Amino acid sequence: MESLLELLVAAFLVIAGIFGIVGSFGLLKLNDPMSRLHAPTKATTLGVGGVLLASMLHAAAFEKYFSVHELMITLFLFLTAPVTANFIAKVHIHRQESRETMPTAGEDDHWATHDTPEDGERKTATRTDTPQ
């Protein structure tokens, strides 16, 4: 039984290493920032998750205690990775795209990430001009 657990811990570490390598390779090799965004946010997050699973399993099986630290790290990672990806995407949009190069925003006038104070004044003026 103990060797099976050791094998499982080793498998989690190997899988985590593979995801880490794939994420790092993608970060270096993908062409544009929006494509590169997926490498660290997806693959590397899974890689870190594999290490955390291996650590929790090792603590429970061999050290005979349950560690909450890994769960907290996982929670923090799952909360911060999407926020970081959103900020990186917004920086890319603001540096590379303009209102004219963005796809149509549908019923909205424009993408909210390109809001300016003049847009807010125009919206307010439009709302007050519209009869109720």
Side-chain angles (χ1 to χ4, degrees), residues 84-105:
T84 304
N86 187 26
F87 282 133
I88 292 172
K90 278 190 152 194
V91 166
H92 171 74
I93 288 171
H94 282 274
R95 292 182 75 190
Q96 303 294 325
E97 304 287 340
S98 66
R99 285 183 179 207
E100 293 76 28
T101 61
M102 296 288 289
T104 59

Side-chain angles (χ1 to χ4, degrees), residues 38-53:
H38 292 284
T41 58
K42 307 288 187 295
T44 309
T45 301
L46 289 174
V48 172
V51 170
L52 294 172
L53 283 174

Side-chain angles (χ1 to χ4, degrees), residues 113-126:
T113 191
H114 285 293
D115 272 347
T116 61
E118 294 82 23
D119 294 328
E121 293 170 4
R122 189 179 63 201
K123 284 181 180 177
T124 304
T126 304

